[in-house]
Amino acid sequence: MKYFEINYPYFAIIAANDEVECLEYYKKIIADDLDETEFHDSIESLERTTVINKLASTCGEDSHKVPIGIEEAKKQILESDRSNEPSILALDGSLV
């Protein structure tokens, strides 16, 4: 899997096989009225270690604003790799 950070119109970190799959998944799950030009301008490919560090500082849905930490971040990355399906690893807090 590859990892992508999107910042427009909503922040997300998505695991996908490629940028095309990432775009389709983002449109399906987050913003179906997406301006694709702006999407491509805001997408950034991330290295695995960068994703782990970013995820470690995010808060889980049920963690009461406590960061999930490195071990949980690694676990989420491994699960996304095993599934080989696109998945959202982090999402703009305004959408949760």
Side-chain angles (χ1 to χ4, degrees):
M1 298 299 280
K2 295 180 181 177
Y3 305 97
F4 302 94
E5 180 176 323
I6 300 94
N7 288 298
Y8 181 85
Y10 300 103
F11 170 79
I13 296 177
I14 295 179
N17 290 301
D18 55 40
E19 192 171 313
V20 172
E21 184 177 58
C22 178
L23 168 64
E24 293 305 314
Y25 192 69
Y26 188 91
K27 285 170 60 176
K28 177 181 173 186
I29 302 298
I30 300 171
D32 60 353
D33 60 344
L34 181 65
D35 178 324
E36 291 187 24
T37 301
E38 290 178 342
F39 175 86
H40 288 292
D41 289 345
S42 78
I43 192 169
E44 178 183 356
S45 181
L46 299 175
E47 295 293 323
R48 179 187 202 94
T49 53
T50 303
V51 175
I52 290 169
N53 289 327
K54 285 182 177 250
L55 289 180
S57 65
T58 63
C59 299
E61 291 178 17
D62 58 348
S63 67
H64 305 291
K65 304 207 187 271
V66 175
I68 64 170
I70 292 287
E71 292 306 314
E72 180 62 25
K74 288 179 182 178
K75 180 180 169 188
Q76 288 182 16
I77 294 292
L78 287 173
E79 288 173 6
S80 73
D81 287 346
R82 285 187 192 124
S83 76
N84 204 33
E85 295 291 326
S87 61
I88 297 172
L89 300 172
L91 184 62
D92 192 305
S94 68
L95 298 175
V96 178

